[in-house]
Amino acid sequence: MTDPLLTTYDAPGRARAMILVLHGGKPRSQQAIDGRSLSWRRALWLQRDIAARAHESGVGVWSVRYRERGWNGGVDRTADARWALDEVRAAHGDVPVVLLGHSMGARVAVHVADDPSVRGVVGLAPWWSAQDPVHTLAGRTLRAAHGRRDRITSFGETVRFVERARAVADSAELRDMGPLGHYMLTGAGHWHDVAIASSLDVLDAQVLD
């Protein structure tokens, strides 16, 4: 089994905040992730494309590659994400962090959003269900974006999750991506624009002013 891996695009100078990108996966798979993983490579494309805009605000962008492809009940994937958050603190101190997750990555994000460094979560075509927690979002911000033609994860489940989160989060909003599908290939530029705008919105003026 491979260890989790970080790809880091640090902003020049001292980071004011960080975006941590969490990629998608499968409900169950113990396959080790390597350079052939399409989900991980899609996350790297997102990371590269938003890095320059993040850096303009003094925000770094890191991404984590999990040890295995599957959610597998969540314990190991959340451990991978918590390891990455510890690595952010080791490198940059207690800077605020936005978790930017696609599909399963958004599920991982809400499970670890109670980490003290996390300011909020941005979920793109998220895989959320009634079993996923919202208490971890207490005092935090949630932003989601989902297309109605997604056949992999459910727009309706995302609507219901965001509604539940509104009871505890400082703010929870869903952007309707209309006819766009799950893999963020069609309309990639629009997905990336939403990703960086939502991430900076989570950090808001309190952090970036």
Side-chain angles (χ1 to χ4, degrees), residues 42 124-125 145-147 177 180-181 184 186-195:
R42 182 64 188 86
L124 307 177
H146 211 144
M177 300 295 282
L180 297 182
M184 305 193 305
T186 300
H190 187 30
W191 281 108
H192 295 179
D193 288 344
V194 169

Side-chain angles (χ1 to χ4, degrees), residues 30-95:
Q30 294 181 324
Q31 179 182 358
I33 295 180
D34 58 23
R36 295 170 293 180
S37 167
L38 295 180
S39 295
W40 179 56
R41 288 165 61 185
R42 182 64 188 86
L44 291 179
W45 176 18
L46 170 64
Q47 179 190 18
R48 286 193 300 269
D49 203 37
I50 69 172
R53 284 172 283 180
H55 290 175
E56 290 173 1
S57 297
V59 179
V61 187
W62 287 19
S63 66
V64 59
R65 189 183 78 185
Y66 316 125
R67 289 170 288 171
E68 293 179 349
R69 190 178 184 187
W71 171 249
N72 303 335
V75 173
D76 291 337
R77 299 297 73 76
T78 57
D80 291 341
R82 291 192 188 279
W83 167 82
L85 286 163
D86 286 341
E87 291 295 304
V88 169
R89 274 188 291 272
H92 294 288
D94 293 324
V95 297

Side-chain angles (χ1 to χ4, degrees), residues 149-163:
R149 289 189 181 174
D150 194 325
R151 298 294 180 263
I152 305 301
T153 57
S154 168
F155 180 88
E157 288 288 355
T158 297
V159 171
R160 287 185 282 275
F161 184 88
V162 172
E163 285 299 319

